[in-house]
Amino acid sequence: MSPTPRLTALDALHRSLGATMTDFAGWDMPLRYGSERDEHIAVRTHAGLFDLSHMGEITVSGPQAVDLLDHALVGNISTVGNGRARYTMICQEDGGILDDLIVYRLGEQEYMVVANAGNAQVVLDALAARSGGFDAVVRDDRDAYALLAVQGPESSGILKSLTDADLDGLKYYAGLPGTVAGVPALIARTGYTGEDGFELFVAPSDAEKLWQALTEAGAPAGLVPCGLSCRDTLRLEAGMPLYGHELTTGLTPFDAGLGRVVKFEKAGDFVGRASLEAAAERAAAAPPRKLVGLVAEGRRVPRAGYPVVADGKVVGEVTSGAPSPTLGKPIAMAYVDAAHAEPGTSGVGVDIRGTHEPYEVVALPFYKRQK
């Protein structure tokens, strides 16, 4: 028997809204409330409200918290200012990606690492295993937080009506403690949609009150509840990688085109350094398969694992694919051989159940918001 899925603090509320629920990384999560296309378009044009309480929060604190994180992760965490956040990765000794993460600096000696739901235990175990010899404490805080996200061009205005926090001064990839609708929260200007937006870390007991307040404040601005289905198409249009699709233990950050997150210049050794230095040299000498965008000329939707073909040969593999509500066509991200990775390369197709459907190679992202 499979274990009973975990429930977020908003589970009863989702069901009362008629959400279609699905098991995601061991959690029962809302997939959609109505039309995923309508939810997607609401985030692009107005605003959407998400329950992301399945994400994994891990607190690292103590006099050597930053030294532990610099050793355990590939990024240079010592350069993260108080109240700022950093996108980074945790890798295996062989350079394979265990997960991509956001690290928030909450105080002089306190950091919050946010892992993907499916990898939270893996990241927790890795940080604990790598903490030996450091004067730092690694704490599982997954039960301490609910996480709500307001995403879309109207999100700032909606949130401003509920908080005195300085949202105008809050930069992208920064967070500040504040109160939203009377609820204490860490307010972060982060998201996974390609739009401006905020993620609100709160106590689970406050989640429902905050959801209702955001729903009421957002109604005049067109805010709607949104599920994981449109979150996936939003991040796909924005060219954002998803662990298990664009990122795996079989790929290094350099294979994924994200070598910029690896900071060799930081002091001291870090887990995977030697393997990643070798991967960087390989990538410079002979570029690996490159992550590109593919836009369909027809209507058939590519899915993860479908072969990318050219001249009758397999030249790559689709990692994510879906209909794009913004472009009005099926799109995909795929790793393809460097010879076929240039935007505009002709003769590239996707093998969809034996038929080679024509696709245009484009640069990522498919969608970029107007600033």
Side-chain angles (χ1 to χ4, degrees):
M1 282 178 61
S2 59
T4 305
R6 298 181 70 176
L7 307 180
T8 79
L10 295 166
D11 183 74
L13 190 147
H14 297 317
R15 293 172 195 279
S16 75
L17 293 173
T20 300
M21 306 296 286
T22 188
D23 176 59
F24 185 85
W27 290 80
D28 218 10
M29 297 298 295
L31 190 63
R32 71 181 74 81
Y33 298 85
S35 155
E36 55 205 49
R37 182 179 180 278
D38 289 349
E39 292 171 23
H40 179 112
I41 290 168
V43 175
R44 287 276 177 259
T45 57
H46 297 96
L49 178 58
F50 297 82
D51 178 10
L52 304 178
S53 302
H54 60 313
M55 300 295 281
E57 296 87 6
I58 301 159
T59 301
V60 181
S61 59
Q64 291 186 304
V66 69
D67 303 303
L68 165 57
L69 290 170
D70 272 343
H71 166 71
L73 312 180
V74 302
N76 193 351
I77 308 305
S78 60
T79 60
V80 179
N82 230 330
R84 297 307 302 267
R86 178 76 45 85
Y87 176 80
T88 187
M89 293 183 183
I90 183 167
C91 289
Q92 300 179 145
E93 198 65 70
D94 67 0
I97 302 165
L98 277 174
D99 201 14
D100 60 336
L101 312 164
I102 297 180
V103 178
Y104 295 88
R105 184 173 181 184
L106 304 181
E108 283 303 311
Q109 299 183 357
E110 186 175 9
Y111 296 79
M112 181 168 69
V113 177
V114 180
N116 285 296
N119 293 332
Q121 190 64 46
V122 170
V123 173
L124 179 68
D125 292 346
L127 287 174
R130 296 173 187 188
S131 66
F134 292 96
D135 186 4
V137 175
V138 176
R139 187 175 72 230
D140 181 359
D141 270 347
R142 283 176 287 181
D143 291 336
Y145 292 103
L147 177 56
L148 278 61
V150 189
Q151 299 282 303
E154 301 289 342
S155 57
S156 181
I158 293 166
L159 210 53
K160 277 180 186 173
S161 71
L162 296 171
T163 183
D164 294 332
D166 178 19
L167 299 187
D168 290 334
L170 186 64
K171 295 183 172 72
Y172 187 50
Y173 267 70
L176 83 170
T179 303
V180 183
V183 170
L186 172 66
I187 305 167
R189 199 163 209 151
T190 46
Y192 195 50
T193 63
E195 298 298 338
D196 187 20
F198 301 86
E199 296 184 321
L200 308 170
F201 295 85
V202 300
S205 57
D206 288 330
E208 192 164 332
K209 177 185 175 185
L210 182 56
W211 179 284
Q212 299 288 22
L214 288 163
T215 298
E216 287 167 27
L223 175 137
V224 301
C226 292
L228 294 183
S229 188
C230 83
R231 189 169 184 252
D232 190 49
T233 52
L234 289 159
R235 71 91 194 166
L236 176 55
E237 287 184 351
M240 294 175 166
L242 175 64
Y243 195 88
H245 289 254
E246 288 73 40
L247 309 175
T248 69
T249 52
L251 295 169
T252 73
F254 294 94
D255 296 323
L258 291 165
R260 65 181 182 276
V261 306
V262 183
K263 303 301 182 186
F264 294 122
E265 71 276 13
K266 65 178 173 176
D269 196 15
F270 62 90
V271 177
R273 180 193 271 271
S275 298
L276 289 167
E277 284 173 342
E281 286 176 16
R282 285 196 305 273
R289 281 187 167 178
K290 190 175 176 190
L291 189 64
V292 302
L294 299 174
V295 178
E297 294 180 20
R299 308 304 307 168
R300 298 185 73 188
V301 178
R303 298 297 182 193
Y306 284 11
V308 179
V309 292
D311 305 322
K313 295 193 200 63
V314 174
V315 297
E317 185 176 302
V318 171
T319 53
S320 296
S324 164
T326 304
L327 275 64
K329 298 174 178 178
I331 59 172
M333 286 200 278
Y335 283 110
V336 302
D337 294 345
H340 299 278
E342 279 303 307
T345 301
S346 60
V348 172
V350 175
D351 185 338
I352 301 181
R353 299 190 186 89
T355 305
H356 292 185
E357 299 285 339
Y359 273 74
E360 180 189 357
V361 179
V362 300
L364 292 169
F366 300 97
Y367 167 86
K368 203 163 192 177
R369 71 182 170 98
Q370 304 300 308
K371 296 291 185 197

